[in-house]
């Protein structure tokens, strides 16, 4: 079956795509949804002083605001209605997934199939509302504390800001679900991807402008471009890498006929955690610098000022903790999304086994052993991909959109989306072959 699918994939061409009407509808729907998102990132929040806010943002662009602005496609820079972006939903999803591993009631819901998944998704939405409300209120208070950022501060501004920003996040959550069900690819990932991709041309133009003005040398710009290309090649290679465990199924007898046992593979991705470790590590480390930006540093203790300075973007301590947090979240998130015991139980239920490994608990231990070893390699890869470009960003001053986290997200989402497009084309070709075989069978019957 795998070889037949690979042969079909190799035979895909433009004519196959031209006949795939359902795929074209899904692509047009995805593009239209992303266009709506991009338009929303340019609708400003009411009640702000644009000039004063733009000046204040430039002073905080190196902190977590710059990171969130990259993920939100420039909405934070303009303080648009989508300024919160989809991050509250991602945070709520991580929290709910963590709770399903430690709360027995949620773990039972996870095992109930589609109905349990719907209930868990509803809890995720409730968590998104809670986190979005808290973050939106914090943004409103932070804007009011600025000098002249808000035209008419007060309760009405806070209320309208919370409703507007929370409504934007909930709309993006709904839009992402619609893209997933009616479009192509994972909707939430595509929303983040489109925000980062929209800033890449501006980042490249800014880098070239720095070279034109003499702030960056031509050799340094070429080095940055070469490093970016090598990082993209490494991401493509590792994200497609798998460790396949051989699975065998015993012989079975149906009536008087004996069927030979089948073999298949259990694919384990080298980077099971995806881009989540880089996102969370960046957010945690940039939080102290951003909080310091909204407070009076003269009233802070000297040790707190020194710590905040050491945790500045590009500092050695920042890089060290950044790599450590990425490695931690790589193991942490892998443990949440992949349960070796459940996989071993499913194999045992269907009669499958790994050659030389006893089904059940021993299989779970073996899968966990292999998964831990490849996660070590995946964590090292994530640290390298994220740290090396960040060093160049910190030392050269090139835009943040050319950093390792942004390149990792863009390339990973592109690979996943292309894989889904190929899957739809293969399904289309399968349907064509089945129709042809039915027509031939009908002609022979006549």
């Amino acid at each position: 079956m795998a070889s037949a699918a690979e042969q079909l994939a190799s035979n895909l061409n433009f004519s196959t795509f031209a006949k795939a009407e359902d795929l074209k509808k899904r692509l047009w729907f995805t593009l239209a949804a992303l266009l709506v998102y991009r338009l929303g990132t340019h609708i400003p929040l009411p009640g702000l002083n644009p000039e004063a806010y733009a000046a204040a943002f430039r002073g905080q662009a190196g902190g977590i605001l710059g990171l969130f602005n990259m993920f939100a496609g420039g909405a934070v820079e303009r303080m648009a209605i989508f300024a919160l972006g989809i991050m509250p939903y991602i945070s709520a999803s991580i929290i709910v997934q963590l709770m399903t591993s430690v709360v027995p009631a949620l773990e039972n819901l996870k095992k109930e199939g589609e109905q349990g998944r719907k209930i868990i998704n509803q809890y995720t939405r409730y968590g998104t509302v809670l986190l979005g409300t808290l973050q939106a209120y914090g943004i409103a208070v932070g804007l009011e504390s600025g000098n002249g950022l808000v035209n008419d501060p007060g309760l009405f501004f806070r209320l309208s800001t919370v409703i507007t920003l929370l409504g934007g996040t909930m709309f993006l959550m709904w839009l992402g679900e619609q893209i997933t069900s009616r479009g192509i690819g994972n909707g939430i990932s595509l929303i983040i991807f489109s925000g980062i991709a929209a800033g890449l041309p501006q980042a490249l133009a800014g880098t070239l402008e720095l070279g034109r003005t003499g702030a960056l040398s031509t050799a340094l710009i070429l080095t940055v471009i070469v490093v970016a290309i090598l990082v993209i090649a490494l991401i493509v290679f590792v994200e497609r890498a798998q460790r396949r465990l051989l699975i065998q199924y015993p012989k079975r007898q149906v009536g008087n006929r004996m069927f030979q046992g089948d073999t298949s593979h259990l694919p384990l991705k080298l980077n099971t955690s995806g881009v989540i470790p880089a996102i969370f590590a960046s957010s945690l480390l940039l939080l102290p610098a951003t909080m310091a930006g909204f407070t009076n540093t003269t009233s802070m203790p000297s040790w707190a000022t020194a710590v905040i300075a050491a945790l500045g973007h590009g500092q050695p301590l920042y890089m060290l903790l950044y790599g450590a947090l990425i490695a931690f979240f790589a193991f942490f998130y892998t443990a949440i999304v992949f349960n070796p015991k459940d996989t071993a139980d499913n194999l045992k239920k269907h009669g499958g086994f790994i050659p030389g490994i006893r089904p059940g608990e021993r299989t779970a231990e073996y899968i966990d052993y292999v998964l831990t070893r490849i996660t070590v390699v995946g964590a090292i890869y994530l640290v390298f991909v994220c740290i090396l470009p960040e060093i160049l960003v910190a030392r050269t001053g090139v835009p943040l959109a050319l950093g390792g986290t942004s390149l990792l997200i863009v390339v990973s989402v592109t690979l996943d989306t292309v894989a889904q497009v190929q899957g739809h084309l293969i399904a289309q070709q399968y349907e064509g072959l089945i129709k042809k075989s039915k027509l031939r069978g009908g002609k022979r019957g006549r």
Side-chain angles (χ1 to χ4, degrees):
M1 181 65 71
S3 60
E6 291 174 359
Q7 185 177 1
L8 277 176
S10 63
N11 294 332
L12 295 178
N13 49 38
F14 184 77
S15 62
T16 307
F17 176 79
K19 296 176 184 178
E21 296 296 331
D22 179 66
L23 176 60
K24 288 190 285 187
K25 291 179 181 178
R26 287 177 173 272
L27 287 173
W28 281 116
F29 179 85
T30 302
L31 291 175
L34 294 178
L35 178 61
V36 171
Y37 162 65
R38 291 304 304 156
L39 290 175
T41 59
H42 289 80
I43 301 176
L45 191 70
L48 281 183
N49 184 337
E51 292 79 10
Y53 177 77
F57 178 82
R58 284 193 293 269
Q60 294 290 327
I64 198 172
L65 291 183
L67 181 69
F68 284 166
N69 183 60
M70 180 184 69
F71 291 148
V76 178
E77 182 180 3
R78 294 179 286 270
M79 193 46 67
I81 59 176
F82 291 160
L84 273 183
I86 205 68
M87 296 305 291
Y89 177 75
I90 295 177
S91 301
S93 300
I94 297 297
I95 293 173
V96 171
Q97 288 179 1
L98 174 61
M99 293 180 65
T100 55
S101 303
V102 297
V103 178
L106 292 177
E107 188 175 1
N108 293 332
L109 280 177
K110 186 179 179 181
K111 297 179 180 178
E112 290 181 5
E114 183 66 20
Q115 187 62 30
R117 188 181 65 83
K118 290 181 179 180
I119 298 176
I120 292 177
N121 287 341
Q122 195 63 28
Y123 290 155
T124 304
R125 295 187 184 99
Y126 294 151
T128 303
V129 172
L130 178 60
L131 292 177
T133 301
L134 293 175
Q135 292 182 21
Y137 184 78
I139 289 175
V141 173
L143 291 173
E144 284 187 340
S145 64
N147 186 15
L149 298 182
V150 179
N151 295 326
D152 188 16
L155 180 61
F156 179 77
F157 172 78
R158 296 183 184 182
L159 183 62
S160 62
T161 299
V162 170
I163 293 175
T164 303
L165 294 180
L166 180 61
T169 294
M170 300 307 293
F171 176 78
L172 289 181
M173 181 185 69
W174 175 83
L175 190 66
E177 293 176 350
Q178 294 301 308
I179 293 175
T180 302
S181 60
R182 301 173 59 185
I184 285 291
N186 183 283
I188 303 301
S189 299
L190 281 173
I191 287 176
I192 299 177
F193 163 83
S194 63
I196 297 175
L200 287 177
Q202 183 181 359
L204 185 59
T207 303
L208 295 178
E209 179 64 20
L210 290 174
R212 189 187 67 83
T213 58
L216 293 178
S217 64
T218 304
L220 190 55
I221 294 177
L222 291 176
T223 301
V224 171
I225 294 175
V226 170
V227 169
I229 294 174
L230 293 177
V231 168
I232 291 173
L234 177 63
I235 293 172
V236 172
F237 176 78
V238 176
E239 292 298 325
R240 296 173 65 91
Q242 294 179 346
R243 170 71 162 88
R244 294 186 176 185
L245 300 181
L246 180 64
I247 305 296
Q248 288 188 347
Y249 293 91
K251 297 179 180 180
R252 55 192 176 93
Q253 184 174 358
V254 179
N256 295 326
R257 299 185 61 184
M258 179 68 71
F259 290 89
Q260 186 68 26
D262 296 329
T263 61
S264 71
H265 293 87
L266 174 65
L268 300 177
K269 288 189 63 176
L270 195 61
N271 179 29
T272 308
S273 58
V275 300
I276 295 298
I279 294 175
F280 271 75
S282 300
S283 302
L284 285 178
L285 280 179
L286 291 176
L287 187 59
T290 304
M291 293 178 61
F294 289 108
T295 59
N296 186 7
T297 55
T298 58
S299 60
M300 296 176 59
S302 58
W303 64 267
T305 306
V307 170
I308 292 174
L311 290 177
H313 191 266
Q315 298 298 321
L317 181 59
Y318 169 87
M319 293 297 183
L320 181 63
L321 292 179
Y322 186 40
L325 285 175
I326 288 175
F328 168 76
F329 281 118
F331 283 93
F332 176 76
Y333 193 70
T334 299
I336 292 178
V337 300
F338 192 95
N339 191 332
K341 187 176 185 303
D342 291 344
T343 304
D345 291 341
N346 290 332
L347 288 176
K348 185 177 181 180
K349 185 185 302 181
H350 293 88
F353 63 93
I354 299 175
I357 307 297
R358 185 181 303 170
E361 185 177 350
R362 295 287 297 173
T363 299
E365 292 176 356
Y366 178 74
I367 294 175
D368 182 66
Y369 168 74
V370 174
L371 186 64
T372 301
R373 293 180 66 184
I374 64 175
T375 303
V376 171
V377 180
I380 295 174
Y381 144 77
L382 282 176
V383 171
F384 177 78
V385 165
C386 294
I387 289 292
L388 181 61
E390 290 293 336
I391 293 175
L392 289 177
V393 169
R395 295 292 180 265
T396 62
V398 297
L400 190 63
L402 295 177
T405 304
S406 57
L407 292 178
L408 181 64
I409 293 174
V410 169
V411 177
S412 300
V413 175
T414 301
L415 290 175
D416 291 341
T417 305
V418 170
Q420 288 204 23
V421 171
Q422 289 181 340
H424 279 276
L425 291 177
I426 291 174
Q428 174 75 18
Q429 203 161 14
Y430 264 125
E431 291 176 2
L433 292 175
I434 292 174
K435 288 180 181 179
K436 288 181 180 179
S437 62
K438 287 183 178 180
L439 288 175
R440 292 173 182 171
K443 290 180 180 179
R444 291 174 181 174
R446 294 176 185 175

